[in-house]
Amino acid sequence: METTLRGVGVSHGVAIGEVRHMGTAVLEPPAKQIPAEEAEREQGRARQAVEAVAADLIARGNLAGGEAQHVLEAQAMMAQDPELMADVDRRIAVGSTAERGVYDAFASYRALLANAGEYLAGRVADLDDVRNRIVARLLGVPMPGVPDSDEPYVLIARDLAPADTALLDPALVLGFVTEEGGPTSHSAILARALGVPAVVALPGAIELAEGTVIAVDGSTGEIFVEPSAEKRAEMESAAAARKAALSASSGPGTTSDGHKVPLLANVGGPGDVPAAVEAGAEGVGLFRTEFLFLDDSKQAPSEEKQVAAYRAVLEAFPEGRVVVRVLDAGADKPLDFLTPADEPNPALGVRGLRSLLDHPDVLRTQLTALSKAAQGLPVHLEVMAPMVADRADAKAFADACREAGLQAKFGAMVEIPSAALRARSILREVEFLSLGTNDLAQYTFAADRQVGAVSRLQDPWQPALLDLVALSAEAARAEGKSCGVCGEAASDPLLACVLTGLGVTSLSMGAASIPYVRATLAKHTLAQCERAASAARAADSAEEARVAAQGVLSGE
């Protein structure tokens, strides 16, 4: 009998197939004591396992490329953390086996992260995955991971580590469903990059029996268990119609009555550029430069290394717009040379622009590198600061850009509610705004973006969040300046229409989402988008806002 479940849709598309479960997590190793003379041998075993896991993560990253590569390289660094390994050695020295020493050391570090306001929940999930891989290697048992199967299937898991998501084979994994996670988690972002339909934060997902046939709608978040023949036909027909519309859609982003909405790509480095170009991106709306810095958390990359990375991206979009976010370090992206190690709540501490203003040499080097990278190129370079709170922040950043001789537009990200509330004041110092809806939602609702239990508050359809978007867009219009969205909200085609109706002037997203957004915008007039935006803001919940906007755009 067909039943319907609902989670959070995070990657467009439809998948229909049998359930296969993720490999089980490593069991806790026994706490047995070893003789003192075996300690050195066990320490060697632990180091070998750590190095092997780190090498495997790097190899997976090299195969995956793009943003996934940066995420996996960060995990490899986590596995090799010197303080963590020193703790492992200490535990083995007093009698633990290698596997128990690793397990307990990681548990201790995990507790430290969990006590840091839980902003690092996503890092905790990554840490657990690294621990499980090391312990599995030491115990000689299969790695936890994607099941072996010759037939296509829908993958079910409590959560998915980036190492697993990055190498999903779309030919076998039709889609995936997780019980944990949120719309802005690493796995959700990577799923969109892969083009694999995905639903997260589905209560009871792991209770779905192996072999059960389910239909997954990655757009709505609906899961149909044992779907009827009629339901399967309906979903397959809708998927085919959507595919046809995507193939027929090309060119710049525009509404059906000719209102231009540039569609830009979010990238983490040169590896993400080919997919963006293939999707028809009109430029880059968010170049996340922190991935370049995360290659070595001990020191900033040289000016020469930065110039090469930036130029590779700038050259890919001649005459196009490339918006670069300067280093956004802190919170879940700590850097030893830049961010404090003892903050009680890093999410509310010295993060983003605050870190850079405390280390003006790092900011100056990055701005100089961007200036050199753009020399002689016809690209329209724009540079923005993360975590701007007020006009003083905006002025400090604009002054730093001018002092570095940067020939570009200077902008501010709106990720803190104060920036949206005082957007017009900020725009007297900078030339554009860019809304990071992931963090803006997190700070608006006091809801960690990595915690599945509060995912409803991370829903970008929340009317309060739409109000802040509208405030920012209205301020930009009044000042005759632009206001884009570069958060994951822009990747939802229906919401893209609402954002356009709110007055947003450009949309930036993962490359895989661009065709969906382009095709949907082309079906509706600007007036329809404005009416949908008004209907969504008049609602009292995210679901009501979505339904209201859908009603307007479908003519109901």
Side-chain angles (χ1 to χ4, degrees), residues 366-372 374 381 383 397 400-410:
Q366 184 171 26
L367 294 174
T368 302
L370 284 165
S371 181
K372 290 182 177 180
L381 175 63
V383 182
F397 178 66
C401 289
R402 282 188 283 266
E403 289 169 10
L406 188 62
Q407 299 298 308
K409 286 186 176 182
F410 318 141

Side-chain angles (χ1 to χ4, degrees), residues 372-395:
K372 290 182 177 180
Q375 285 178 2
L377 297 179
V379 68
H380 300 287
L381 175 63
E382 302 184 14
V383 182
M384 61 185 180
M387 301 298 289
V388 170
D390 57 14
R391 183 174 180 174
D393 278 352
K395 183 179 187 304

Side-chain angles (χ1 to χ4, degrees), residues 440-456:
L440 185 57
Q442 171 171 254
Y443 291 119
T444 298
F445 296 102
D448 191 315
R449 56 188 282 190
Q450 303 287 1
V451 177
V454 293
S455 62
R456 76 172 186 87

